[in-house]
Amino acid sequence: MADYKAPLREMHFLLHEVFAAEKLWAELPQLSGVVDRETADAILEEMAKLAANTLDPINRSGDEEGCHWRDGEVTTPAGFKEAYATFCAGGWGALLGNPEYGGMGMPKMLGAQVEEMLNAANISFALYPVLTNGACLAIDAHASETLKRKYLPRMYEGTWAGAMDLTEPHAGTDLGIIRTRAEPCEDGSYCITGSKIFITGGDQDLSENIIHLVLAKLPDAPKGPRGISLFLVPKYTVNEDGSVGGSNNVRCGSIEHKMGIKASATCAMNFDGAQGWLVGEVNKGLAAMFTMMNYERLGVGIQGLGASERSYQNALAYARERIQSRSPAGAQQPGQVADPIIVHPDVRRMLLTQKALVGGGRALSTYVAQWLDIAKFGEGDARKNAEAMVALLTPVAKAFTTDMGLDCTVLGQQVLGGHGYIREWGQEQLVRDVRITQIYEGTNGIQALDLVGRKTVANGGALFEVFATDVQNFIDSEVDCEAMAEFIQPLAAALQRLREATGNMIAATREDPCAPGAASVEYLHLFGYVAYAFMWAKVVSVAQARQEEDSFYRAQVKTARFYFARLLPRTQGLAASVNAGSAALMDMEEALF
Amino acid sequence: MADYKAPLREMHFLLHEVFAAEKLWAELPQLSGVVDRETADAILEEMAKLAANTLDPINRSGDEEGCHWRDGEVTTPAGFKEAYATFCAGGWGALLGNPEYGGMGMPKMLGAQVEEMLNAANISFALYPVLTNGACLAIDAHASETLKRKYLPRMYEGTWAGAMDLTEPHAGTDLGIIRTRAEPCEDGSYCITGSKIFITGGDQDLSENIIHLVLAKLPDAPKGPRGISLFLVPKYTVNEDGSVGGSNNVRCGSIEHKMGIKASATCAMNFDGAQGWLVGEVNKGLAAMFTMMNYERLGVGIQGLGASERSYQNALAYARERIQSRSPAGAQQPGQVADPIIVHPDVRRMLLTQKALVGGGRALSTYVAQWLDIAKFGEGDARKNAEAMVALLTPVAKAFTTDMGLDCTVLGQQVLGGHGYIREWGQEQLVRDVRITQIYEGTNGIQALDLVGRKTVANGGALFEVFATDVQNFIDSEVDCEAMAEFIQPLAAALQRLREATGNMIAATREDPCAPGAASVEYLHLFGYVAYAFMWAKVVSVAQARQEEDSFYRAQVKTARFYFARLLPRTQGLAASVNAGSAALMDMEEALF
């Protein structure tokens, strides 16, 4: 397996040339003194080193060893504890944190690149700090000042980690039916009792404490999702002076044996009268979770992206080294018994598909991160516009980038032929690891329902228009550029196809409540391919003029050309399927399946 | 995980109603006394029991335990030895064998159904007899009478197993560059020396001997694929009386640690002056392998089909039991806290996609098996026509059905949400197991090159016309049936799309040697979707009229409707991609990847 090398050039190009991040940062008061191009590049370079030197080397071994559970305690694989210490010592846990409590207050646009490197090197490792980040976001947004002062600084340090405890054996997608109970105590705290499953980092041996955010119901809570509250429940109680006290009746009952991310502990957690504190308002626990959800969901998309990039790097290295058969255009290396397989058109198809999807995914993640930053740090109409973009694009960034993540890692595995199936080559691990990203943090089917339902049909396509306007403005701005015509024309046609599908779906819903659900996943894919086309057109609009000066730009233009010629046409079949309506799905009696 | 239940009804329907197998069998002299409907159904019923009661129960445990290697000897997981003994006692190894040497001489149309059950229950187990079958086919077709009498009866019994030794560390797809040597001995045998990798069942503890078919080069052999010969090399020498003698310097050096099929031993084999016997003519080893290749490749397609069926059964059982959220059309089971997830349109999409692809794959496998039978047992023009069909359709049946196998198992896993990612639920194993079917027996990329190159461009589309004529004749025969119009019109359009893509590709190749390779995989998928549409239309032409009498037929019609509405449209994007030419792939300088 090739060593991981972070794609810093691509990241600089996107941040500084395509999205002009520095200009945005200078305009936003909370960022202007905090981050500029030089700082950002220095941060990226440091993470590139950490990913390559510390996290990548324990990725394969972590998969082989897995986590261990004994008597309620989880041990992570060899090297994880040391790597976590290095991570914390570098201050990485504080990167996006609130400066009032010790965070660095950096923008998500930068954080997205950092996360890509973390995940490309080691998804299992990355999950520990990622879950802590998520917990911090929810605490920062909704907890009392007391809780924030007590917990956030230690969590930003990484001394304490976080975990999100939502799912129960009978309640995954449908959190409205959870059974975990929260009984009010006299001192204002709550007594939490119940069982949770699939808790990432629910227990581990990396941090001295674990801060659980637990969804539970008060005794008098209304039924369904409007009766759920959120509680902060530490594994060990925390004394008044901030030191760690004794056990809080939070126990890891077992860990799951999974397809992948084996070095990430997926825990069944038992809360047996554990002491917890309310975060946010009573019965508004789900809303409190949603604050961090956009960040987390984009983050999962970036996991798919990281695995894709890693898979591409390995496949490319193999395709350049492995010699097998001759090019159809005649021997390219007559001195050898065969040519390197990168000469074969179909191997190039597999590599370019990965490269085009990775480039599109990285650009889309950065674009969504930009809107998250404006939604967080901006004001007025700009902020409103950004919130609309975030709401609409988050399910696409999560689901499409992870669906493409499976495709990319499968292609990267296929380039290696038989060796791709052998564990020591590392490619098959990426397939197993990335597969979870399509499932957790809301399955991709749920993302698609969110996109078509709450985000599109419910507002009559108003959010869609915000996005479509951004695409159309870009098209209008480039329409006179002859060199861009080969991209702008198919982009306009694809946008039109998406617009029609959107309109059809909204119209169909008036008479058919099953219409959005029937179209949802294919609609999300249609949307995703159009969004990537938009991203590639933006990339080309910068790269086109500089092709002569640097082959990096030429590679961008040629990859975009591949995307438009070979991948964007998939929208044709997707649109036809979206427009087919729900009858073919719903007419089947249940007994006939 | 649901217990496996063989889809006997579907198999009977295809054999007896859609493909009128009994009529064909009666017409072919070598089959007419051997098999009729009653015999066939009895055989299917027996295999259904073996699969459910003996093979399915050791599938998960075999995956967890895996194979063991110690001092050159492989041990299979617990229960495999006993299951293999039961398999052999049932005479299953002889099913398709040549009656002259103890085989039952059954048709492949029946064998295809038997194989589906074997693979649905336990791909790892199935591989041991499957490889023996392949070796028997090559021996039967090419070995001397002495070798056949000595080896075939024991191999049909299963007392001895077979293995195919092709790949070497530096030579997989490109067998022309293998290095294993065969030195002629004075007694007419050969002395074989070399190393092979990825040898399925290269060693195991199931049978008392293992008969390797080894590709090697004579000292004076021409370079490349025309200098390869095939040798029979037993693990233990066989005495004149047929009893097993001593070691033959065939040693298993190690076994691979793989993504899946962990109970199937994938061996590195060392031949250190082992005694071997020529099979077929000197330097025509590859041709001798190709005799069995069509059977083996269809067999791999059926592995993809079996895994898909198994995944569908599990997903369906889960979707009926798991309750979560409400139907968009309103509560379907108001007495429960939520509805079973099969009410949700997107869950139905996942299930119906599996059902439609499984049905299409089963019909296509049966259709190709029918042509294999006519090519083997038929005569004159009918035989020639069948050979053309087999040549053209085998790469489609292998690659498309296994690519759809990955899609189906991933969908089946997705239906289970988080539980799909947990090993004990069994769905993730199917994804890991089926993934190899896209790689071995010629990667799916190689299948696609075979389809576009040797099978299409090389003969100017003559083979394609044989298939297209069969489709067109069917269309013509149904064109006046009003009830069939909804299927016949889109089938005709899809055939036209495939015909145009075929013509474009052939034309492009005249000026661009990279054209077929650039279009290959998407062309194969386009072909596959059209072939499945043809199969579903054939199914409907039988089922349509009987819908009222039995809901089984109604299910067929509704599944076909789903296929045409939601899956066949994918051909639009595929055709556009095929027609885009090779420029987007080949213009990228190697350094720019």
PDB file of all heavy atoms in Angstrom, chain B residues 1 54-65 77-78 80 118-125 261 263 310 426 429-430 433:
ATOM      1  N   MET B   1     -30.635 -13.438  11.452  1.00  0.00           N
ATOM      2  CA  MET B   1     -30.657 -13.720  10.006  1.00  0.00           C
ATOM      3  C   MET B   1     -31.703 -14.791   9.716  1.00  0.00           C
ATOM      4  O   MET B   1     -31.771 -15.802  10.400  1.00  0.00           O
ATOM      5  CB  MET B   1     -29.278 -14.226   9.583  1.00  0.00           C
ATOM      6  CG  MET B   1     -29.109 -14.303   8.085  1.00  0.00           C
ATOM      7  SD  MET B   1     -27.402 -14.755   7.674  1.00  0.00           S
ATOM      8  CE  MET B   1     -27.347 -14.276   5.955  1.00  0.00           C
ATOM      9  N   THR B  54     -27.709 -28.130   5.662  1.00  0.00           N
ATOM     10  CA  THR B  54     -26.309 -28.498   5.852  1.00  0.00           C
ATOM     11  C   THR B  54     -25.348 -27.340   5.572  1.00  0.00           C
ATOM     12  O   THR B  54     -24.401 -27.117   6.325  1.00  0.00           O
ATOM     13  CB  THR B  54     -25.958 -29.693   4.937  1.00  0.00           C
ATOM     14  OG1 THR B  54     -26.877 -30.751   5.215  1.00  0.00           O
ATOM     15  CG2 THR B  54     -24.537 -30.166   5.168  1.00  0.00           C
ATOM     16  N   LEU B  55     -25.594 -26.585   4.501  1.00  0.00           N
ATOM     17  CA  LEU B  55     -24.614 -25.574   4.084  1.00  0.00           C
ATOM     18  C   LEU B  55     -24.864 -24.204   4.700  1.00  0.00           C
ATOM     19  O   LEU B  55     -23.931 -23.514   5.107  1.00  0.00           O
ATOM     20  CB  LEU B  55     -24.600 -25.472   2.554  1.00  0.00           C
ATOM     21  CG  LEU B  55     -24.362 -26.813   1.839  1.00  0.00           C
ATOM     22  CD1 LEU B  55     -24.314 -26.603   0.331  1.00  0.00           C
ATOM     23  CD2 LEU B  55     -23.070 -27.464   2.334  1.00  0.00           C
ATOM     24  N   ASP B  56     -26.124 -23.802   4.749  1.00  0.00           N
ATOM     25  CA  ASP B  56     -26.454 -22.504   5.328  1.00  0.00           C
ATOM     26  C   ASP B  56     -26.012 -22.404   6.797  1.00  0.00           C
ATOM     27  O   ASP B  56     -25.446 -21.385   7.204  1.00  0.00           O
ATOM     28  CB  ASP B  56     -27.963 -22.254   5.183  1.00  0.00           C
ATOM     29  CG  ASP B  56     -28.368 -20.853   5.599  1.00  0.00           C
ATOM     30  OD1 ASP B  56     -27.722 -19.897   5.136  1.00  0.00           O
ATOM     31  OD2 ASP B  56     -29.315 -20.712   6.390  1.00  0.00           O
ATOM     32  N   PRO B  57     -26.217 -23.439   7.588  1.00  0.00           N
ATOM     33  CA  PRO B  57     -25.866 -23.313   9.017  1.00  0.00           C
ATOM     34  C   PRO B  57     -24.370 -23.140   9.293  1.00  0.00           C
ATOM     35  O   PRO B  57     -24.000 -22.708  10.377  1.00  0.00           O
ATOM     36  CB  PRO B  57     -26.370 -24.646   9.621  1.00  0.00           C
ATOM     37  CG  PRO B  57     -27.441 -25.105   8.688  1.00  0.00           C
ATOM     38  CD  PRO B  57     -26.984 -24.681   7.326  1.00  0.00           C
ATOM     39  N   ILE B  58     -23.501 -23.476   8.331  1.00  0.00           N
ATOM     40  CA  ILE B  58     -22.058 -23.289   8.599  1.00  0.00           C
ATOM     41  C   ILE B  58     -21.475 -22.114   7.807  1.00  0.00           C
ATOM     42  O   ILE B  58     -20.267 -21.970   7.694  1.00  0.00           O
ATOM     43  CB  ILE B  58     -21.251 -24.580   8.306  1.00  0.00           C
ATOM     44  CG1 ILE B  58     -21.473 -25.052   6.851  1.00  0.00           C
ATOM     45  CG2 ILE B  58     -21.624 -25.696   9.287  1.00  0.00           C
ATOM     46  CD1 ILE B  58     -20.520 -26.178   6.434  1.00  0.00           C
ATOM     47  N   ASN B  59     -22.350 -21.265   7.318  1.00  0.00           N
ATOM     48  CA  ASN B  59     -21.860 -20.142   6.520  1.00  0.00           C
ATOM     49  C   ASN B  59     -21.266 -19.036   7.388  1.00  0.00           C
ATOM     50  O   ASN B  59     -20.149 -18.583   7.165  1.00  0.00           O
ATOM     51  CB  ASN B  59     -23.001 -19.591   5.658  1.00  0.00           C
ATOM     52  CG  ASN B  59     -22.510 -18.540   4.669  1.00  0.00           C
ATOM     53  OD1 ASN B  59     -21.461 -18.724   4.040  1.00  0.00           O
ATOM     54  ND2 ASN B  59     -23.241 -17.456   4.534  1.00  0.00           N
ATOM     55  N   ARG B  60     -22.008 -18.607   8.407  1.00  0.00           N
ATOM     56  CA  ARG B  60     -21.527 -17.542   9.291  1.00  0.00           C
ATOM     57  C   ARG B  60     -20.330 -18.031  10.114  1.00  0.00           C
ATOM     58  O   ARG B  60     -19.334 -17.331  10.269  1.00  0.00           O
ATOM     59  CB  ARG B  60     -22.644 -17.102  10.250  1.00  0.00           C
ATOM     60  CG  ARG B  60     -23.634 -16.138   9.692  1.00  0.00           C
ATOM     61  CD  ARG B  60     -23.101 -14.700   9.687  1.00  0.00           C
ATOM     62  NE  ARG B  60     -22.643 -14.298  10.998  1.00  0.00           N
ATOM     63  CZ  ARG B  60     -21.401 -13.900  11.255  1.00  0.00           C
ATOM     64  NH1 ARG B  60     -20.505 -13.859  10.300  1.00  0.00           N
ATOM     65  NH2 ARG B  60     -21.065 -13.540  12.470  1.00  0.00           N
ATOM     66  N   SER B  61     -20.440 -19.232  10.655  1.00  0.00           N
ATOM     67  CA  SER B  61     -19.346 -19.737  11.491  1.00  0.00           C
ATOM     68  C   SER B  61     -18.092 -19.942  10.657  1.00  0.00           C
ATOM     69  O   SER B  61     -16.980 -19.685  11.121  1.00  0.00           O
ATOM     70  CB  SER B  61     -19.773 -21.049  12.170  1.00  0.00           C
ATOM     71  OG  SER B  61     -20.173 -21.997  11.192  1.00  0.00           O
ATOM     72  N   GLY B  62     -18.262 -20.371   9.411  1.00  0.00           N
ATOM     73  CA  GLY B  62     -17.105 -20.526   8.528  1.00  0.00           C
ATOM     74  C   GLY B  62     -16.415 -19.205   8.277  1.00  0.00           C
ATOM     75  O   GLY B  62     -15.181 -19.129   8.207  1.00  0.00           O
ATOM     76  N   ASP B  63     -17.199 -18.153   8.154  1.00  0.00           N
ATOM     77  CA  ASP B  63     -16.628 -16.817   7.953  1.00  0.00           C
ATOM     78  C   ASP B  63     -15.855 -16.365   9.179  1.00  0.00           C
ATOM     79  O   ASP B  63     -14.763 -15.809   9.088  1.00  0.00           O
ATOM     80  CB  ASP B  63     -17.749 -15.819   7.654  1.00  0.00           C
ATOM     81  CG  ASP B  63     -17.236 -14.401   7.452  1.00  0.00           C
ATOM     82  OD1 ASP B  63     -16.547 -14.166   6.444  1.00  0.00           O
ATOM     83  OD2 ASP B  63     -17.518 -13.541   8.305  1.00  0.00           O
ATOM     84  N   GLU B  64     -16.406 -16.600  10.354  1.00  0.00           N
ATOM     85  CA  GLU B  64     -15.740 -16.165  11.586  1.00  0.00           C
ATOM     86  C   GLU B  64     -14.461 -16.959  11.841  1.00  0.00           C
ATOM     87  O   GLU B  64     -13.447 -16.400  12.242  1.00  0.00           O
ATOM     88  CB  GLU B  64     -16.691 -16.310  12.786  1.00  0.00           C
ATOM     89  CG  GLU B  64     -17.833 -15.304  12.816  1.00  0.00           C
ATOM     90  CD  GLU B  64     -17.370 -13.857  13.028  1.00  0.00           C
ATOM     91  OE1 GLU B  64     -16.261 -13.642  13.545  1.00  0.00           O
ATOM     92  OE2 GLU B  64     -18.118 -12.939  12.641  1.00  0.00           O
ATOM     93  N   GLU B  65     -14.520 -18.262  11.587  1.00  0.00           N
ATOM     94  CA  GLU B  65     -13.347 -19.080  11.892  1.00  0.00           C
ATOM     95  C   GLU B  65     -12.292 -18.990  10.799  1.00  0.00           C
ATOM     96  O   GLU B  65     -11.100 -18.902  11.076  1.00  0.00           O
ATOM     97  CB  GLU B  65     -13.759 -20.552  12.100  1.00  0.00           C
ATOM     98  CG  GLU B  65     -12.569 -21.425  12.486  1.00  0.00           C
ATOM     99  CD  GLU B  65     -12.916 -22.908  12.604  1.00  0.00           C
ATOM    100  OE1 GLU B  65     -14.110 -23.239  12.713  1.00  0.00           O
ATOM    101  OE2 GLU B  65     -11.980 -23.722  12.570  1.00  0.00           O
ATOM    102  N   PRO B  77     -12.843 -24.730   8.166  1.00  0.00           N
ATOM    103  CA  PRO B  77     -13.532 -24.453   9.444  1.00  0.00           C
ATOM    104  C   PRO B  77     -14.412 -25.631   9.899  1.00  0.00           C
ATOM    105  O   PRO B  77     -14.748 -26.519   9.104  1.00  0.00           O
ATOM    106  CB  PRO B  77     -14.412 -23.244   9.122  1.00  0.00           C
ATOM    107  CG  PRO B  77     -13.890 -22.677   7.855  1.00  0.00           C
ATOM    108  CD  PRO B  77     -13.256 -23.793   7.103  1.00  0.00           C
ATOM    109  N   ALA B  78     -14.793 -25.570  11.150  1.00  0.00           N
ATOM    110  CA  ALA B  78     -15.625 -26.622  11.746  1.00  0.00           C
ATOM    111  C   ALA B  78     -16.868 -26.883  10.902  1.00  0.00           C
ATOM    112  O   ALA B  78     -17.526 -25.955  10.445  1.00  0.00           O
ATOM    113  CB  ALA B  78     -16.049 -26.207  13.153  1.00  0.00           C
ATOM    114  N   PHE B  80     -17.116 -28.167   7.914  1.00  0.00           N
ATOM    115  CA  PHE B  80     -16.959 -28.235   6.458  1.00  0.00           C
ATOM    116  C   PHE B  80     -16.670 -29.666   5.977  1.00  0.00           C
ATOM    117  O   PHE B  80     -17.152 -30.090   4.939  1.00  0.00           O
ATOM    118  CB  PHE B  80     -15.882 -27.254   5.977  1.00  0.00           C
ATOM    119  CG  PHE B  80     -16.452 -25.889   5.687  1.00  0.00           C
ATOM    120  CD1 PHE B  80     -17.077 -25.158   6.688  1.00  0.00           C
ATOM    121  CD2 PHE B  80     -16.407 -25.350   4.410  1.00  0.00           C
ATOM    122  CE1 PHE B  80     -17.637 -23.917   6.428  1.00  0.00           C
ATOM    123  CE2 PHE B  80     -16.962 -24.104   4.131  1.00  0.00           C
ATOM    124  CZ  PHE B  80     -17.581 -23.380   5.144  1.00  0.00           C
ATOM    125  N   LEU B 118     -26.604 -23.681  -3.858  1.00  0.00           N
ATOM    126  CA  LEU B 118     -25.301 -23.878  -3.204  1.00  0.00           C
ATOM    127  C   LEU B 118     -24.688 -22.547  -2.796  1.00  0.00           C
ATOM    128  O   LEU B 118     -24.214 -22.373  -1.669  1.00  0.00           O
ATOM    129  CB  LEU B 118     -24.329 -24.531  -4.190  1.00  0.00           C
ATOM    130  CG  LEU B 118     -24.235 -26.036  -4.272  1.00  0.00           C
ATOM    131  CD1 LEU B 118     -23.277 -26.421  -5.399  1.00  0.00           C
ATOM    132  CD2 LEU B 118     -23.687 -26.576  -2.939  1.00  0.00           C
ATOM    133  N   ASN B 119     -24.682 -21.607  -3.743  1.00  0.00           N
ATOM    134  CA  ASN B 119     -24.009 -20.331  -3.505  1.00  0.00           C
ATOM    135  C   ASN B 119     -24.788 -19.418  -2.580  1.00  0.00           C
ATOM    136  O   ASN B 119     -24.204 -18.652  -1.818  1.00  0.00           O
ATOM    137  CB  ASN B 119     -23.742 -19.636  -4.841  1.00  0.00           C
ATOM    138  CG  ASN B 119     -22.573 -20.257  -5.562  1.00  0.00           C
ATOM    139  OD1 ASN B 119     -21.458 -20.246  -5.059  1.00  0.00           O
ATOM    140  ND2 ASN B 119     -22.827 -20.835  -6.728  1.00  0.00           N
ATOM    141  N   ALA B 120     -26.106 -19.493  -2.663  1.00  0.00           N
ATOM    142  CA  ALA B 120     -26.904 -18.675  -1.751  1.00  0.00           C
ATOM    143  C   ALA B 120     -26.653 -19.117  -0.314  1.00  0.00           C
ATOM    144  O   ALA B 120     -26.577 -18.305   0.604  1.00  0.00           O
ATOM    145  CB  ALA B 120     -28.386 -18.800  -2.091  1.00  0.00           C
ATOM    146  N   ALA B 121     -26.494 -20.418  -0.133  1.00  0.00           N
ATOM    147  CA  ALA B 121     -26.311 -20.940   1.223  1.00  0.00           C
ATOM    148  C   ALA B 121     -24.887 -20.730   1.717  1.00  0.00           C
ATOM    149  O   ALA B 121     -24.679 -20.451   2.907  1.00  0.00           O
ATOM    150  CB  ALA B 121     -26.662 -22.429   1.259  1.00  0.00           C
ATOM    151  N   ASN B 122     -23.906 -20.845   0.821  1.00  0.00           N
ATOM    152  CA  ASN B 122     -22.527 -20.848   1.328  1.00  0.00           C
ATOM    153  C   ASN B 122     -21.541 -20.787   0.156  1.00  0.00           C
ATOM    154  O   ASN B 122     -21.110 -21.818  -0.361  1.00  0.00           O
ATOM    155  CB  ASN B 122     -22.308 -22.131   2.140  1.00  0.00           C
ATOM    156  CG  ASN B 122     -21.094 -22.060   3.036  1.00  0.00           C
ATOM    157  OD1 ASN B 122     -20.083 -21.465   2.674  1.00  0.00           O
ATOM    158  ND2 ASN B 122     -21.198 -22.675   4.210  1.00  0.00           N
ATOM    159  N   ILE B 123     -21.171 -19.569  -0.246  1.00  0.00           N
ATOM    160  CA  ILE B 123     -20.258 -19.420  -1.403  1.00  0.00           C
ATOM    161  C   ILE B 123     -18.928 -20.106  -1.114  1.00  0.00           C
ATOM    162  O   ILE B 123     -18.368 -20.788  -1.972  1.00  0.00           O
ATOM    163  CB  ILE B 123     -20.020 -17.937  -1.747  1.00  0.00           C
ATOM    164  CG1 ILE B 123     -21.280 -17.304  -2.342  1.00  0.00           C
ATOM    165  CG2 ILE B 123     -18.868 -17.803  -2.742  1.00  0.00           C
ATOM    166  CD1 ILE B 123     -21.091 -15.874  -2.826  1.00  0.00           C
ATOM    167  N   SER B 124     -18.408 -19.928   0.088  1.00  0.00           N
ATOM    168  CA  SER B 124     -17.104 -20.522   0.406  1.00  0.00           C
ATOM    169  C   SER B 124     -17.122 -22.038   0.215  1.00  0.00           C
ATOM    170  O   SER B 124     -16.201 -22.609  -0.364  1.00  0.00           O
ATOM    171  CB  SER B 124     -16.713 -20.217   1.857  1.00  0.00           C
ATOM    172  OG  SER B 124     -16.237 -18.916   2.000  1.00  0.00           O
ATOM    173  N   PHE B 125     -18.168 -22.681   0.712  1.00  0.00           N
ATOM    174  CA  PHE B 125     -18.269 -24.121   0.547  1.00  0.00           C
ATOM    175  C   PHE B 125     -18.395 -24.481  -0.931  1.00  0.00           C
ATOM    176  O   PHE B 125     -17.720 -25.380  -1.435  1.00  0.00           O
ATOM    177  CB  PHE B 125     -19.469 -24.690   1.317  1.00  0.00           C
ATOM    178  CG  PHE B 125     -19.617 -26.176   1.135  1.00  0.00           C
ATOM    179  CD1 PHE B 125     -18.980 -27.043   2.007  1.00  0.00           C
ATOM    180  CD2 PHE B 125     -20.340 -26.714   0.073  1.00  0.00           C
ATOM    181  CE1 PHE B 125     -19.069 -28.417   1.827  1.00  0.00           C
ATOM    182  CE2 PHE B 125     -20.433 -28.081  -0.114  1.00  0.00           C
ATOM    183  CZ  PHE B 125     -19.795 -28.941   0.761  1.00  0.00           C
ATOM    184  N   ILE B 261     -15.112 -14.677   1.572  1.00  0.00           N
ATOM    185  CA  ILE B 261     -14.972 -16.119   1.276  1.00  0.00           C
ATOM    186  C   ILE B 261     -13.837 -16.704   2.122  1.00  0.00           C
ATOM    187  O   ILE B 261     -12.942 -17.384   1.618  1.00  0.00           O
ATOM    188  CB  ILE B 261     -14.791 -16.450  -0.227  1.00  0.00           C
ATOM    189  CG1 ILE B 261     -13.633 -15.683  -0.859  1.00  0.00           C
ATOM    190  CG2 ILE B 261     -16.074 -16.217  -0.998  1.00  0.00           C
ATOM    191  CD1 ILE B 261     -13.209 -16.288  -2.235  1.00  0.00           C
ATOM    192  N   ALA B 263     -13.892 -19.031   4.364  1.00  0.00           N
ATOM    193  CA  ALA B 263     -13.864 -20.475   4.573  1.00  0.00           C
ATOM    194  C   ALA B 263     -13.383 -21.205   3.326  1.00  0.00           C
ATOM    195  O   ALA B 263     -13.241 -22.425   3.331  1.00  0.00           O
ATOM    196  CB  ALA B 263     -15.254 -20.972   4.976  1.00  0.00           C
ATOM    197  N   ARG B 310     -29.998 -14.431  -1.355  1.00  0.00           N
ATOM    198  CA  ARG B 310     -29.865 -14.578   0.096  1.00  0.00           C
ATOM    199  C   ARG B 310     -30.045 -13.235   0.791  1.00  0.00           C
ATOM    200  O   ARG B 310     -30.731 -13.135   1.815  1.00  0.00           O
ATOM    201  CB  ARG B 310     -28.472 -15.141   0.403  1.00  0.00           C
ATOM    202  CG  ARG B 310     -28.261 -15.527   1.850  1.00  0.00           C
ATOM    203  CD  ARG B 310     -28.976 -16.826   2.116  1.00  0.00           C
ATOM    204  NE  ARG B 310     -28.832 -17.286   3.501  1.00  0.00           N
ATOM    205  CZ  ARG B 310     -29.725 -17.020   4.464  1.00  0.00           C
ATOM    206  NH1 ARG B 310     -30.779 -16.258   4.219  1.00  0.00           N
ATOM    207  NH2 ARG B 310     -29.558 -17.520   5.670  1.00  0.00           N
ATOM    208  N   GLY B 426     -25.281 -11.077   9.420  1.00  0.00           N
ATOM    209  CA  GLY B 426     -25.000 -11.841   8.206  1.00  0.00           C
ATOM    210  C   GLY B 426     -25.012 -11.070   6.894  1.00  0.00           C
ATOM    211  O   GLY B 426     -24.474 -11.547   5.900  1.00  0.00           O
ATOM    212  N   GLN B 429     -21.510  -9.990   5.489  1.00  0.00           N
ATOM    213  CA  GLN B 429     -20.714 -11.085   4.934  1.00  0.00           C
ATOM    214  C   GLN B 429     -21.032 -11.292   3.460  1.00  0.00           C
ATOM    215  O   GLN B 429     -20.133 -11.558   2.645  1.00  0.00           O
ATOM    216  CB  GLN B 429     -20.968 -12.390   5.704  1.00  0.00           C
ATOM    217  CG  GLN B 429     -20.097 -13.544   5.189  1.00  0.00           C
ATOM    218  CD  GLN B 429     -20.481 -14.905   5.753  1.00  0.00           C
ATOM    219  OE1 GLN B 429     -21.202 -14.994   6.751  1.00  0.00           O
ATOM    220  NE2 GLN B 429     -19.998 -15.950   5.122  1.00  0.00           N
ATOM    221  N   LEU B 430     -22.293 -11.159   3.100  1.00  0.00           N
ATOM    222  CA  LEU B 430     -22.677 -11.353   1.700  1.00  0.00           C
ATOM    223  C   LEU B 430     -21.999 -10.313   0.809  1.00  0.00           C
ATOM    224  O   LEU B 430     -21.567 -10.618  -0.301  1.00  0.00           O
ATOM    225  CB  LEU B 430     -24.200 -11.284   1.563  1.00  0.00           C
ATOM    226  CG  LEU B 430     -24.959 -12.416   2.271  1.00  0.00           C
ATOM    227  CD1 LEU B 430     -26.459 -12.132   2.278  1.00  0.00           C
ATOM    228  CD2 LEU B 430     -24.684 -13.755   1.607  1.00  0.00           C
ATOM    229  N   ASP B 433     -18.376 -11.405   0.622  1.00  0.00           N
ATOM    230  CA  ASP B 433     -18.215 -12.625  -0.176  1.00  0.00           C
ATOM    231  C   ASP B 433     -18.427 -12.357  -1.667  1.00  0.00           C
ATOM    232  O   ASP B 433     -17.666 -12.836  -2.507  1.00  0.00           O
ATOM    233  CB  ASP B 433     -19.222 -13.705   0.279  1.00  0.00           C
ATOM    234  CG  ASP B 433     -18.817 -14.387   1.587  1.00  0.00           C
ATOM    235  OD1 ASP B 433     -17.704 -14.115   2.085  1.00  0.00           O
ATOM    236  OD2 ASP B 433     -19.611 -15.198   2.102  1.00  0.00           O
TER     237      ASP B 433
END
